[in-house]
């Protein structure tokens, strides 16, 4: 298998929801904090955790932006990115 295909096969997909991302992040933190992961898995876990955190922050920001719109009395359609 070519290296590019192998690398893409190992890339985790985006979570389906904020709740799914948060659950995965909590499980990941538990595994990292246990101290039982080999160094390479710990690094991969840290990288995945950073991606999940970015995803969650983006979703929260979108919701906060929508709330600001509602608070200003202007109802607009909210689109998820």
């Amino acid at each position: 298998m070519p290296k590019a295909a192998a690398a893409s096969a190992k890339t985790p997909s985006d979570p389906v929801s904020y709740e799914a991302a948060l659950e995965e992040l909590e499980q990941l933190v538990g595994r990292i904090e246990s101290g039982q992961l080999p160094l390479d898995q710990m690094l991969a876990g840290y990288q995945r955790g950073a991606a999940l955190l970015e995803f969650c922050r983006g979703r929260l920001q979108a919701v906060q932006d929508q709330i600001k719109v509602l608070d200003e009395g202007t109802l607009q359609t909210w689109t998820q990115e």
Side-chain angles (χ1 to χ4, degrees), residues 21-56:
L22 190 58
E23 182 179 340
E24 183 181 347
L25 185 57
E26 289 172 347
Q27 291 173 359
L28 186 57
V29 168
R31 289 194 308 266
I32 290 172
E33 287 180 342
S34 75
Q36 301 299 316
L37 293 177
L39 185 60
D40 60 333
Q41 288 181 7
M42 191 176 297
L43 178 58
Y46 181 84
Q47 291 170 333
R48 176 65 175 162
L52 290 167
L53 185 57
E54 183 179 341
F55 177 87
C56 288

Side-chain angles (χ1 to χ4, degrees), residues 63-77:
V63 170
Q64 287 176 338
D65 292 345
Q66 182 64 26
I67 290 170
K68 286 179 187 177
V69 168
L70 294 172
D71 283 346
E72 293 172 2
T74 306
L75 184 58
Q76 297 179 1
T77 304

